[in-house]
Amino acid sequence: MAVQRSLVFLSLLATDSLDLPLLYRRDDVDPSTLYKEHNISVPIDYFHNDTKYEPHSNGTFPLRYWFDASCYKDGGPVIVLQSGETNAIGRLPFLQKGIVHKLAQATNGIGVILEHRYYGTSFPTPDLSTSNLRFLTTEQALADMAYFAQNVIFEGLEDKYLTAPTTAYFGYGGSYAGAFVAFLRVLYPEVYYGTISSSGVTEAIWDFWRYYEPVREYGPPDCIDKQTKLINVADNILRNNTKYTAQLKSAFGMESITYDDDFAQVLSYPIGGWQGRNWDPEINDPSFYEYCGNITSPTLISNTTTSNDTSLAQTLLQAGGYANETSTLTTPLLNFINYIQQNYVLPVTADNRTLDQAYGNHNQTFYAQDDLSQSGWRSWPYQYCTQWGYLQTGSGVPLTQLPLVSRLLTLEYNSLICRYAFNITTPPDTDAINKYGGYNISYDRLAIVDGEEDPWREASPHSPQAPNRTSSTERPFLLIEGAVHHWDENGRFPNETTTTLPPEPVKEVQADEVAFVRAWLEEFRAGRREEL
C-alpha cells in the first residue's frame, strides 16, 4: 500500500466543480480525507436456493465505496477497483495515482474503490462467528460487485445514467481481487464490459508449496544456497537430532517458545519479504535483500559475537548434518541468528510479550474471539480454509530438493487456524473456485497481467503449470519483466516520476492497459450506437 500522507486539504469531492483539474490540488493529501466515504445497501444473501447459506437472510448491509469523478465527462466509463481481502481505505491512493487514476484520466471516467464484504466496515452480520461467516464466499461478493454496478447512484451525478449496462463498467483487481475480477467478467459479462486481473490467483490450491519457487528461481543464488542449507540444519535437528533442539532454540534466543513448529515458522519468516518488493521506493519492502545481505556476508554483522557463540554455531552445524561445511556456514549461521534476534525476538521482549504470545499458533483461546474487531485475522483465513487454500508449506517440497522454509510447516500446522477458529477439519472446497476456469480462465475483454518474479504466479494463468497463450487486444496476456505482485497497480504523481520510476516494463504495461481499455470503450460505444 502507498503511505498515507499528511492532511493538507479537506475533501474536494463534495464540491460541484467536478470538471476542475484537481490533480495539482491533491498532491501530498491524505486520501482518506480527500475522498468522501459512501455506502450502498446490498443484499446479504443472493442465493436462496443454496443450502450452504441456510438459514437464509432477506436483509441488507452497507457496502462501502469511494469515488473520484474529477476526470468524468459525459459518456465516460466507471472503473471499479475491487479492494479484496483488506480494509479498502488502503486502496484509496490508487484514486490519486496508479492504474485507476490513469484509466479514469484516459477515458474521462469515474474511478471507484469498492470494499469487499466482511472487511473494513462492510459487515453483513453483527459478529464473525463461524455461523455468521457463512455469507463470506466469493460468489456472494461477486454478486455484490455486480449489484453495485447496476444500482449505484453517485452523489452529485444523480442526473446521469451511470449504471450498467447503460454505462460501460470496467473492473480491476490485484492478487485475490485479481482472480475475483476475472471471475466477475466470466459470470457477469453483461454488467462488466471488461476487467483487468493483475496477479490474479485464479487457481485455488490447498498445498501451495510452489509459492517459494519463484524466489528460488529469481533470488540471488548465494542467498538461496545459504537459506536452504541453514533451514535444513534447523530441520535436521528439529526432526532427526532432537537432543540439540534446546541448544538450537537457545542460540536464537527463543528457548521460551513452546512449540517447535512455531519456532520453525519464525526462522522461515525473513525469506517471505520477497513478495513485498516494489518498484516504488515509497512502498518497497527492503527486508528481503537486507536479510540476504546478512546471511551472505563474509564477515560477522554483530560485534558482540563471542567464541562461545562460534563454538555453539559449529556444534549446531555438525548436529544438523553440515560438519563438512562449518568453514563456510559458521558466519552465515551466526548472522542468521543475529538477524532473527534483532528483528523477531528483541522487539517482542521489549514490548513485554512472550514469544508464544507473538508467534504461537496453538492458542485456542485466541481463536475463540469473533467480534468484528477480529476481522483483520479472521475474515481471510475463513475464506482460505473454506474455498481457497494457499497454505505455504515446506513439507510439500519434493524430497529431491531443499526447501526455502522449514518442513515443519505442514498442512496440519498451517491449518491449525481452520480447526481452532472455525472447527474446519477438512481441506477447502477448491472446486468452488476452480470451476470458474482456474489456470485456463479466458474471456473476451479479460486481461491477464502478472509479474515475472511473483511468488503468486504459480497460482495464476502465467504459471509454468498453465498453457501458454498469445496476447491480443481482446484477450491481453501480459507478463511484467522483473515484477513481483501487481506492480501495475500503484503509481506516482507527475512531479515524483523520474527516468527510471516507474521502470520501463511497468510503464509499458500501464500504457498497454490504457490502450486496450480505450479500445474496449470504443467497442462498447459502437455497440450502443447500433442498439440505438
Side-chain angles (χ1 to χ4, degrees):
M1 296 301 99
V3 177
Q4 292 188 347
R5 301 174 181 272
S6 59
L7 171 62
V8 178
F9 300 109
L10 296 176
S11 173
L12 302 176
L13 290 182
T15 71
D16 294 327
S17 55
L18 295 175
D19 57 339
L20 293 179
L22 299 180
L23 182 60
Y24 75 98
R25 298 166 65 183
R26 297 186 296 185
D27 290 11
D28 300 317
V29 176
D30 180 337
S32 68
T33 63
L34 179 61
Y35 301 108
K36 184 177 178 180
E37 179 180 307
H38 300 271
N39 288 279
I40 181 173
S41 182
V42 302
I44 293 173
D45 183 6
Y46 296 89
F47 303 100
H48 285 248
N49 293 325
D50 195 327
T51 57
K52 70 172 171 283
Y53 299 116
E54 293 178 347
H56 293 286
S57 172
N58 292 315
T60 61
F61 74 97
L63 188 68
R64 188 164 60 160
Y65 69 97
W66 299 258
F67 73 94
D68 180 3
S70 62
C71 296
Y72 179 71
K73 293 182 181 178
D74 285 348
V78 177
I79 297 111
V80 185
L81 183 144
Q82 168 54 238
S83 65
E85 72 287 21
T86 189
N87 186 319
I89 283 179
R91 309 297 194 197
L92 293 186
F94 304 134
L95 287 178
Q96 294 177 290
K97 51 186 179 178
I99 194 60
V100 177
H101 177 72
K102 283 181 179 293
L103 292 176
Q105 192 175 46
T107 61
N108 298 317
I110 296 172
V112 176
I113 305 296
L114 182 65
E115 194 157 70
H116 192 293
R117 59 169 56 200
Y118 286 91
Y119 295 92
T121 64
S122 300
F123 294 105
T125 55
D127 62 40
L128 302 177
S129 63
T130 303
S131 174
N132 278 339
L133 285 169
R134 69 188 182 278
F135 298 114
L136 176 51
T137 61
T138 299
E139 69 176 353
Q140 293 277 10
L142 285 164
D144 285 338
M145 194 158 169
Y147 185 94
F148 173 85
Q150 293 170 310
N151 293 276
V152 68
I153 299 174
F154 293 107
E155 184 177 287
L157 297 168
E158 292 87 351
D159 60 328
K160 310 291 184 182
Y161 294 99
L162 295 175
T163 54
T166 304
T167 294
Y169 269 70
F170 299 108
Y172 177 95
S175 195
Y176 160 68
F180 186 102
V181 299
F183 303 159
L184 184 75
R185 176 67 186 130
V186 172
L187 290 178
Y188 297 98
E190 74 286 355
V191 181
Y192 281 83
Y193 196 73
T195 61
I196 301 173
S197 172
S198 182
S199 295
V201 288
T202 56
E203 180 80 13
I205 303 166
W206 179 221
D207 187 344
F208 191 39
W209 65 268
R210 290 184 183 275
Y211 173 87
Y212 295 99
E213 290 309 290
V215 188
R216 184 193 304 276
E217 181 177 356
Y218 295 103
D222 189 26
C223 179
I224 301 307
D225 176 66
K226 296 295 192 299
Q227 172 73 7
T228 54
K229 289 178 178 178
L230 294 174
I231 288 294
N232 193 230
V233 167
D235 274 2
N236 286 341
I237 291 173
L238 293 170
R239 300 168 75 216
N240 306 317
N241 205 353
T242 55
K243 68 180 181 180
Y244 290 95
T245 294
Q247 287 178 273
L248 177 67
K249 289 183 178 180
S250 179
F252 284 89
M254 299 188 69
E255 59 271 18
S256 64
I257 199 163
T258 302
Y259 292 94
D260 291 349
D261 43 18
D262 286 335
F263 169 65
Q265 176 162 267
V266 175
L267 300 191
S268 302
Y269 278 154
I271 204 73
W274 179 265
Q275 181 181 322
R277 295 162 52 228
N278 192 274
W279 59 266
D280 187 347
E282 191 174 304
I283 61 175
N284 176 59
D285 175 4
S287 65
F288 176 84
Y289 283 106
E290 290 173 355
Y291 170 66
C292 279
N294 273 253
I295 64 172
T296 59
S297 172
T299 59
L300 292 174
I301 302 297
S302 173
N303 57 12
T304 61
T305 302
T306 67
S307 58
N308 287 339
D309 296 329
T310 300
S311 177
L312 176 56
Q314 291 172 344
T315 297
L316 294 174
L317 288 169
Q318 292 165 5
Y322 284 81
N324 293 333
E325 296 188 47
T326 55
S327 62
T328 56
L329 288 180
T330 298
T331 295
L333 177 55
L334 287 168
N335 286 340
F336 182 28
I337 288 169
N338 179 68
Y339 188 90
I340 294 294
Q341 289 177 342
Q342 295 297 320
N343 291 276
Y344 297 99
V345 179
L346 294 179
V348 171
T349 56
D351 198 33
N352 294 316
R353 291 185 296 155
T354 68
L355 294 176
D356 281 340
Q357 288 173 327
Y359 304 119
N361 284 314
H362 295 264
N363 186 347
Q364 295 187 50
T365 302
F366 172 84
Y367 291 123
Q369 301 175 93
D370 61 9
D371 59 275
L372 293 182
S373 69
Q374 309 303 318
S375 64
W377 69 265
R378 197 168 173 87
S379 294
W380 176 241
Y382 180 79
Q383 289 193 258
Y384 70 66
C385 289
T386 54
Q387 293 190 320
W388 286 85
Y390 298 135
L391 301 192
Q392 295 155 21
T393 70
S395 60
V397 176
L399 296 178
T400 54
Q401 63 190 65
L402 295 179
L404 284 161
V405 297
S406 174
R407 289 194 185 274
L408 272 70
L409 305 188
T410 62
L411 286 174
E412 181 180 4
Y413 173 70
N414 284 341
S415 63
L416 286 175
I417 190 171
C418 303
R419 297 200 294 278
Y420 294 158
F422 313 115
N423 195 30
I424 295 172
T425 58
T426 56
D429 180 15
T430 52
D431 288 344
I433 301 302
N434 293 334
K435 68 182 180 182
Y436 300 128
Y439 287 134
N440 298 305
I441 192 167
S442 184
Y443 209 87
D444 282 352
R445 296 186 301 280
L446 165 57
I448 303 294
V449 181
D450 289 298
E452 179 187 22
E453 300 179 7
D454 190 353
W456 290 99
R457 179 180 169 185
E458 295 280 347
S460 81
H462 274 102
S463 168
Q465 319 303 314
N468 197 11
R469 57 180 93 171
T470 302
S471 183
S472 66
T473 299
E474 281 297 287
R475 300 190 179 197
F477 191 67
L478 307 173
L479 191 65
I480 308 176
E481 179 186 354
V484 188
H485 210 43
H486 44 93
W487 275 19
D488 61 317
E489 187 170 25
N490 56 289
R492 308 194 105 198
F493 290 120
N495 64 319
E496 296 175 327
T497 59
T498 69
T499 55
T500 58
L501 294 175
E504 200 60 35
V506 172
K507 198 181 302 182
E508 288 176 0
V509 165
Q510 289 180 334
D512 287 343
E513 289 169 331
V514 166
F516 63 65
V517 169
R518 278 176 165 165
W520 295 351
L521 182 58
E522 285 307 308
E523 287 182 39
F524 174 84
R525 288 169 173 165
R528 292 288 295 162
R529 286 193 294 269
E530 288 178 9
E531 291 175 9
L532 298 174

